[in-house]
Amino acid sequence: QVQLMESGGGSVQAGGSLRLLCSVSGYRDYAMAWFRQAAGKEREGVASISTSGGSTAYAASVKGRFTISKDNAKKTLYLQMYNLKPDDTAMYYCAADATNGPSLSLQGHSYNYWGQGTQVTVSS
């Protein structure tokens, strides 16, 4: 089975940067994504990446500020975040698609494995 574990969250002032990491335990490479859920809000797709890492997609709210990448040799997914805003405060989750479905989805139902999350808090 696929196991995912996020790290790298923390507290930062607005305008700061953080890099999130997700370690992947699985037999092969996967299309993956980052999601976030703020307190009292719905889960939101943030960024997605194809199995090879060659294609990416972003939510409009983070385009130009966040970069998703992966290192398949290290079995690690990354989310580089800069110019963070208070609205970015949320629990961030990584997700993997083990079904060989369409890539670059930002919909939660497209992913069948999830990490436990890492908290990002951005103060004003």
Side-chain angles (χ1 to χ4, degrees):
Q1 299 298 315
V2 179
Q3 294 184 348
L4 309 174
M5 182 175 294
E6 304 93 338
S7 61
S11 297
V12 65
Q13 294 187 31
S17 301
L18 284 172
R19 186 178 71 162
L20 306 183
L21 299 86
C22 175
S23 63
V24 183
S25 177
Y27 186 73
R28 64 173 180 85
D29 301 323
Y30 307 94
M32 300 191 71
W34 287 98
F35 290 78
R36 66 187 182 186
Q37 187 166 26
K41 304 294 184 180
E42 296 181 353
R43 183 176 59 192
E44 174 188 24
V46 175
S48 59
I49 190 164
S50 60
T51 302
S52 70
S55 298
T56 60
Y58 297 90
S61 59
V62 307
K63 181 71 174 179
R65 299 188 298 117
F66 292 10
T67 300
I68 187 171
S69 61
K70 71 200 310 265
D71 186 334
N72 286 334
K74 296 181 179 179
K75 304 188 78 171
T76 304
L77 176 73
Y78 305 91
L79 185 67
Q80 179 66 55
M81 307 183 293
Y82 65 95
N83 192 23
L84 283 161
K85 303 176 180 180
D87 284 347
D88 296 320
T89 296
M91 185 73 74
Y92 283 71
Y93 302 89
C94 64
D97 174 18
T99 69
N100 292 316
S103 298
L104 303 183
S105 173
L106 291 176
Q107 298 178 308
H109 62 71
S110 297
Y111 301 90
N112 54 339
Y113 290 95
W114 296 80
Q116 292 185 312
T118 186
Q119 178 68 36
V120 171
T121 302
V122 184
S123 62
S124 61

